[in-house]
């Protein structure tokens, strides 16, 4: 076989896995539908990724961190959870960095910078030969047996390898083609994301505001390079039909609307980026492995963004699988043995299940608008603020440190 490993999807997960395997002696090929230029120069997509301290360390080990650029890395020192309506009394819980061993809970980096850094680290100069990259290629079929895995491309070409790894999003067609079912939960909400400047400082604090009828999030960024004003990534979550009119507003009207929705707490807000909308769907693959096949990243677990663990959890899957593959290869073992894949599945399910279920519970509770749910939400926030061990546990989760 010409390939040891075929990775379907050259997003951050697939590229990070390919980078982790460089220098191992494994012959790796990435297959991606998008054109090469979109990988080399990813466009801004509105999404800002909150990285835990653990994820930052993994990115350093992979060589991505220095490629991000210091100007594109913003510290996340504290987190603030708010519950209550605009203009009314609000319950607050602050998670401070002083509850963790680090000077910040984590970091904020735009998704397109992570994508660019992952491409440069995987395909640029570095340890060992770069993986092969097949862009503009669509996988139309997959078959596996005890000896090999085979992918059929849209043009009719067939590629064989010891192992296929799917890293092609939470709606993975490769996972589906392998007969792996996934539990999907459509939250009936869409998030609008953009960058905005504001008058008052964010104090390097991330907000999650569960307002009545809307959810607002604010992720602190470095100051705007043009105006010097404080700048944040703003996330507004509403039913889908309520998001569409906001996308069509002119900039002046949009600024006024977002200033109003934030109850003027940040002062005058101004749009400094394009606007993007994403439906919120959670995904849990019922299996993470099959015969000579594994899923990583969002193809394994697609998280609701409310707890900011999606990409961080994806990096854990890549770290777990890559170490297992390298160890097996160095010891002359089959990199796709049932025992190896089952161990990977067990470790990653154990790491992911609790986070996924807790995130789903939080997202479900905080989208309900009936009075008992509002009382429960307020009570949880007020109790959490007074119970330091709980806040310390949350800080540990946000940093990714145990």
């Amino acid at each position: 076989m010409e390939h040891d490993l075929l990775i379907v999807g050259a997003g951050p997960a697939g590229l990070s896995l390919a980078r982790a395997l460089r220098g191992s002696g494994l012959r790796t090929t990435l297959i991606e539908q998008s054109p090469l230029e979109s990988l080399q120069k990813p466009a801004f997509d509105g999404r800002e990724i909150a990285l835990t301290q653990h994820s930052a360390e993994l990115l350093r080990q992979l060589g991505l961190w220095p490629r991000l650029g210091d100007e594109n890395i913003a510290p996340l020192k504290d987190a603030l959870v708010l519950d209550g309506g605009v203009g009314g009394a609000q319950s607050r819980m602050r998670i401070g960095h002083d509850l963790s061993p680090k000077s910040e809970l984590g970091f904020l980096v735009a998704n397109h910078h992570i994508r660019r850094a992952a491409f440069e680290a995987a395909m640029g100069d570095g340890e060992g030969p770069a993986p092969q990259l097949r862009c503009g290629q669509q996988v139309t079929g997959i078959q596996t047996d005890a000896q090999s895995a085979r992918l059929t491309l849209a043009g009719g070409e067939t590629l064989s390898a010891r192992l296929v790894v799917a890293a092609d999003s939470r709606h993975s067609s490769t996972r589906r083609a392998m007969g792996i079912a996934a539990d999907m939960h459509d939250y009936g909400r869409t998030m609008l994301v953009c960058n905005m400047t504001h008058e008052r400082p964010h104090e390097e604090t991330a907000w999650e505001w569960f307002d009545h009828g809307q959810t607002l999030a604010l992720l602190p960024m470095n100051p705007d390079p043009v105006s010097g004003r404080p700048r944040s990534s703003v996330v507004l979550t509403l039913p889908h039909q309520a998001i569409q009119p906001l996308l069509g507003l002119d900039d002046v009207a949009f600024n006024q609307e977002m200033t109003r929705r934030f109850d003027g707490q940040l002062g005058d807000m101004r749009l400094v980026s394009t606007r993007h909308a994403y439906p919120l769907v959670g995904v849990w693959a019922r299996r993470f492995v099959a015969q000579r096949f594994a899923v990583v990243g969002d193809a394994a677990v697609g998280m609701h963004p409310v707890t900011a663990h999606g990409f961080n959890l994806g990096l854990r899957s890549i770290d777990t699988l890559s170490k297992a593959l390298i160890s097996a290869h160095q010891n002359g073992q089959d990199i796709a043995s049932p025992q190896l894949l089952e161990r990977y599945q067990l470790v990653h399910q154990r790491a992911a299940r609790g986070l996924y279920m807790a995130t789903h519970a939080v997202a479900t509770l905080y989208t309900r608008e009936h009075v008992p749910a509002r009382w429960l939400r307020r009570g949880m926030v007020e109790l959490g603020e007074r119970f330091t061990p709980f806040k310390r546990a949350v800080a540990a989760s946000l940093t990714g440190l145990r």
Side-chain angles (χ1 to χ4, degrees):
M1 289 179 285
E2 295 181 9
H3 317 276
D4 293 311
L5 191 76
L6 293 171
I7 302 172
V8 183
L15 288 166
S16 294
L17 178 59
R19 173 62 187 89
L21 298 175
R22 280 191 68 165
S24 67
L26 289 167
R27 298 164 298 174
T28 303
T29 296
L30 287 150
I31 302 167
E32 170 59 41
Q33 293 187 61
S34 303
L36 177 61
E37 184 178 358
S38 69
L39 301 182
Q40 294 173 323
K41 299 177 180 178
F44 173 78
D45 61 11
R47 291 176 289 186
E48 306 289 327
I49 307 300
L51 298 170
T52 64
Q53 293 282 354
H54 180 258
S55 293
E57 180 56 34
L58 291 178
L59 293 181
R60 292 185 186 99
Q61 294 172 14
L62 293 173
L64 271 68
W65 194 258
R67 298 174 186 270
L68 293 173
D70 291 342
E71 69 280 7
N72 299 319
I73 303 172
L76 289 171
K77 288 197 171 181
D78 298 333
L80 180 64
V81 180
L82 303 163
D83 181 76
V86 168
Q90 296 170 354
S91 300
R92 296 178 173 231
M93 178 176 64
R94 179 175 287 273
I95 310 297
H97 63 276
D98 56 323
L99 296 172
S100 77
K102 298 289 187 176
S103 58
E104 60 278 305
L105 295 174
F107 307 91
L108 182 72
V109 182
N111 184 58
H112 69 290
H113 290 310
I114 294 176
R115 294 175 65 91
R116 172 187 51 77
F119 179 85
E120 292 173 356
M123 305 306 300
D125 295 336
E127 180 184 4
Q132 294 184 38
L133 177 61
R134 307 284 293 271
C135 285
Q137 302 276 358
Q138 182 179 3
V139 175
T140 57
I142 179 171
Q143 291 181 321
T144 67
D145 55 34
Q147 283 72 45
S148 67
R150 296 171 298 283
L151 292 180
T152 302
L153 305 183
E157 184 181 4
T158 298
L159 306 178
S160 299
R162 299 190 204 178
L163 176 68
V164 170
V165 176
D168 52 344
S169 86
R170 66 187 64 201
H171 303 293
S172 170
S173 58
T174 317
R175 179 190 66 214
R176 188 179 302 110
M178 280 297 294
I180 297 179
D183 296 322
M184 297 190 180
H185 185 88
D186 188 334
Y187 292 96
R189 299 288 188 275
T190 295
M191 65 177 186
L192 184 155
V193 291
C194 61
N195 292 346
M196 302 192 77
T197 64
H198 37 86
E199 287 182 299
R200 295 173 191 149
H202 49 53
E203 298 178 344
E204 298 176 330
T205 299
W207 292 22
E208 191 74 48
W209 182 2
F210 300 105
D211 193 0
H212 298 164
Q214 64 177 7
T215 301
L216 293 160
L218 182 134
L219 299 172
M221 303 176 67
N222 292 326
D224 182 63
V226 177
S227 66
R229 282 165 50 106
R231 179 177 54 146
S232 297
S233 171
V234 173
V235 184
L236 170 63
T237 302
L238 293 170
H240 180 73
Q241 68 272 20
I243 287 289
Q244 290 304 307
L246 296 175
L247 294 172
L249 292 177
D250 62 45
D251 289 358
V252 174
F254 182 79
N255 293 343
Q256 293 172 346
E257 177 66 9
M258 294 305 294
T259 301
R260 182 191 68 81
R261 286 183 176 274
F262 272 89
D263 199 22
Q265 294 192 52
L266 294 163
D268 175 54
M269 301 179 70
R270 300 177 189 172
L271 183 69
V272 289
S273 75
T274 50
R275 288 165 264 181
H276 302 263
Y278 298 97
L280 294 179
V281 179
V283 177
W284 175 271
R286 295 185 186 175
R287 289 183 292 145
F288 293 174
V289 300
Q291 186 179 54
R292 296 197 172 273
F293 181 80
V295 292
V296 296
D298 281 0
V301 184
M303 298 280 281
H304 188 290
V306 66
T307 56
H309 275 296
F311 183 67
N312 298 296
L313 200 57
L315 280 179
R316 283 185 179 271
S317 71
I318 290 155
D319 185 50
T320 300
L321 182 59
S322 64
K323 287 178 177 177
L325 296 179
I326 292 171
S327 176
H329 181 65
Q330 290 176 342
N331 290 291
Q333 300 168 349
D334 185 0
I335 64 169
S337 70
Q339 296 81 8
L340 182 152
L341 295 178
E342 185 61 33
R343 283 197 303 272
Y344 160 69
Q345 175 171 258
L346 180 63
V347 170
H348 193 46
Q349 282 183 339
R350 187 178 298 159
R353 192 184 303 276
L355 277 173
Y356 181 82
M357 293 177 66
T359 299
H360 175 68
V362 169
T364 302
L365 173 63
Y366 283 91
T367 53
R368 292 177 178 169
E369 290 300 324
H370 55 276
V371 174
R374 291 184 182 181
W375 287 348
L376 180 57
R377 294 199 306 249
R378 174 158 296 199
M380 290 175 64
V381 172
E382 292 177 350
L383 179 62
E385 173 62 17
R386 294 194 296 267
F387 191 50
T388 302
F390 173 75
K391 294 203 293 184
R392 199 178 300 278
V394 174
S397 174
L398 292 174
T399 59
L401 302 174
R402 298 291 186 267

